[in-house]
mmCIF file of all heavy atoms in Angstrom:
data_model
loop_
_atom_site.group_PDB
_atom_site.id
_atom_site.type_symbol
_atom_site.label_atom_id
_atom_site.label_comp_id
_atom_site.label_asym_id
_atom_site.label_seq_id
_atom_site.Cartn_x
_atom_site.Cartn_y
_atom_site.Cartn_z
ATOM 1 N N SER A 120 -20.310 -37.680 69.499
ATOM 2 C CA SER A 120 -19.813 -37.765 68.125
ATOM 3 C C SER A 120 -18.347 -37.380 68.112
ATOM 4 O O SER A 120 -17.965 -36.290 68.533
ATOM 5 C CB SER A 120 -20.597 -36.823 67.214
ATOM 6 O OG SER A 120 -19.978 -36.789 65.945
ATOM 7 N N GLU A 121 -17.531 -38.294 67.658
ATOM 8 C CA GLU A 121 -16.095 -38.053 67.578
ATOM 9 C C GLU A 121 -15.822 -36.986 66.519
ATOM 10 O O GLU A 121 -14.953 -36.128 66.666
ATOM 11 C CB GLU A 121 -15.409 -39.382 67.213
ATOM 12 C CG GLU A 121 -13.902 -39.375 67.232
ATOM 13 C CD GLU A 121 -13.304 -38.843 68.525
ATOM 14 O OE1 GLU A 121 -13.774 -39.231 69.613
ATOM 15 O OE2 GLU A 121 -12.378 -38.012 68.437
ATOM 16 N N GLU A 122 -16.622 -37.024 65.465
ATOM 17 C CA GLU A 122 -16.344 -36.254 64.257
ATOM 18 C C GLU A 122 -16.932 -34.838 64.289
ATOM 19 O O GLU A 122 -16.275 -33.857 63.890
ATOM 20 C CB GLU A 122 -16.985 -37.051 63.093
ATOM 21 C CG GLU A 122 -16.747 -36.493 61.733
ATOM 22 C CD GLU A 122 -17.629 -37.199 60.676
ATOM 23 O OE1 GLU A 122 -18.439 -38.083 61.042
ATOM 24 O OE2 GLU A 122 -17.492 -36.831 59.505
ATOM 25 N N ALA A 123 -18.187 -34.732 64.739
ATOM 26 C CA ALA A 123 -18.938 -33.488 64.540
ATOM 27 C C ALA A 123 -18.343 -32.242 65.211
ATOM 28 O O ALA A 123 -18.184 -31.212 64.535
ATOM 29 C CB ALA A 123 -20.386 -33.683 64.994
ATOM 30 N N PRO A 124 -17.996 -32.291 66.522
ATOM 31 C CA PRO A 124 -17.596 -31.040 67.182
ATOM 32 C C PRO A 124 -16.463 -30.307 66.467
ATOM 33 O O PRO A 124 -16.494 -29.083 66.344
ATOM 34 C CB PRO A 124 -17.190 -31.502 68.583
ATOM 35 C CG PRO A 124 -18.034 -32.712 68.812
ATOM 36 C CD PRO A 124 -18.064 -33.410 67.480
ATOM 37 N N GLY A 125 -15.488 -31.035 65.960
ATOM 38 C CA GLY A 125 -14.349 -30.407 65.291
ATOM 39 C C GLY A 125 -14.736 -29.652 64.022
ATOM 40 O O GLY A 125 -13.998 -28.791 63.552
ATOM 41 N N LYS A 126 -15.874 -30.002 63.449
ATOM 42 C CA LYS A 126 -16.251 -29.398 62.167
ATOM 43 C C LYS A 126 -17.361 -28.368 62.289
ATOM 44 O O LYS A 126 -17.734 -27.731 61.302
ATOM 45 C CB LYS A 126 -16.692 -30.510 61.213
ATOM 46 C CG LYS A 126 -15.540 -31.462 60.917
ATOM 47 C CD LYS A 126 -15.884 -32.446 59.840
ATOM 48 C CE LYS A 126 -14.647 -33.252 59.479
ATOM 49 N NZ LYS A 126 -14.971 -34.437 58.688
ATOM 50 N N ILE A 127 -17.911 -28.237 63.500
ATOM 51 C CA ILE A 127 -19.019 -27.299 63.696
ATOM 52 C C ILE A 127 -18.487 -25.990 64.282
ATOM 53 O O ILE A 127 -17.701 -26.013 65.227
ATOM 54 C CB ILE A 127 -20.084 -27.915 64.638
ATOM 55 C CG1 ILE A 127 -20.683 -29.163 63.979
ATOM 56 C CG2 ILE A 127 -21.174 -26.893 64.965
ATOM 57 C CD1 ILE A 127 -21.597 -29.963 64.894
ATOM 58 N N ALA A 128 -18.924 -24.870 63.700
ATOM 59 C CA ALA A 128 -18.523 -23.563 64.229
ATOM 60 C C ALA A 128 -19.711 -22.940 64.942
ATOM 61 O O ALA A 128 -20.866 -23.322 64.710
ATOM 62 C CB ALA A 128 -18.048 -22.666 63.105
ATOM 63 N N ASN A 129 -19.410 -21.981 65.795
ATOM 64 C CA ASN A 129 -20.448 -21.249 66.508
ATOM 65 C C ASN A 129 -21.454 -20.691 65.502
ATOM 66 O O ASN A 129 -21.070 -20.105 64.499
ATOM 67 C CB ASN A 129 -19.777 -20.099 67.265
ATOM 68 C CG ASN A 129 -20.443 -19.840 68.589
ATOM 69 O OD1 ASN A 129 -21.088 -20.721 69.157
ATOM 70 N ND2 ASN A 129 -20.314 -18.625 69.079
ATOM 71 N N GLY A 130 -22.725 -20.911 65.747
ATOM 72 C CA GLY A 130 -23.753 -20.310 64.881
ATOM 73 C C GLY A 130 -24.197 -21.189 63.726
ATOM 74 O O GLY A 130 -25.187 -20.868 63.043
ATOM 75 N N ASP A 131 -23.515 -22.304 63.474
ATOM 76 C CA ASP A 131 -23.950 -23.206 62.404
ATOM 77 C C ASP A 131 -25.346 -23.733 62.708
ATOM 78 O O ASP A 131 -25.683 -24.023 63.860
ATOM 79 C CB ASP A 131 -22.995 -24.417 62.270
ATOM 80 C CG ASP A 131 -21.694 -24.051 61.568
ATOM 81 O OD1 ASP A 131 -21.540 -22.863 61.197
ATOM 82 O OD2 ASP A 131 -20.830 -24.943 61.418
ATOM 83 N N GLU A 132 -26.152 -23.892 61.658
ATOM 84 C CA GLU A 132 -27.494 -24.438 61.809
ATOM 85 C C GLU A 132 -27.397 -25.968 61.751
ATOM 86 O O GLU A 132 -26.859 -26.523 60.792
ATOM 87 C CB GLU A 132 -28.369 -23.909 60.648
ATOM 88 C CG GLU A 132 -29.842 -24.209 60.763
ATOM 89 C CD GLU A 132 -30.552 -23.389 61.841
ATOM 90 O OE1 GLU A 132 -30.032 -22.326 62.217
ATOM 91 O OE2 GLU A 132 -31.604 -23.856 62.304
ATOM 92 N N LEU A 133 -27.914 -26.644 62.778
ATOM 93 C CA LEU A 133 -27.765 -28.108 62.843
ATOM 94 C C LEU A 133 -29.115 -28.816 62.907
ATOM 95 O O LEU A 133 -30.088 -28.277 63.441
ATOM 96 C CB LEU A 133 -26.987 -28.517 64.101
ATOM 97 C CG LEU A 133 -25.620 -27.894 64.345
ATOM 98 C CD1 LEU A 133 -25.062 -28.419 65.670
ATOM 99 C CD2 LEU A 133 -24.649 -28.232 63.212
ATOM 100 N N ILE A 134 -29.130 -30.044 62.364
ATOM 101 C CA ILE A 134 -30.261 -30.950 62.594
ATOM 102 C C ILE A 134 -29.673 -32.254 63.133
ATOM 103 O O ILE A 134 -28.804 -32.853 62.500
ATOM 104 C CB ILE A 134 -31.045 -31.244 61.289
ATOM 105 C CG1 ILE A 134 -31.609 -29.952 60.680
ATOM 106 C CG2 ILE A 134 -32.174 -32.245 61.566
ATOM 107 C CD1 ILE A 134 -32.198 -30.139 59.287
#
Side-chain angles (χ1 to χ4, degrees):
Chain A
S120 172
E121 187 52 45
E122 184 190 2
K126 297 188 173 166
I127 297 172
N129 216 24
D131 284 0
E132 189 72 22
L133 305 178
I134 300 171

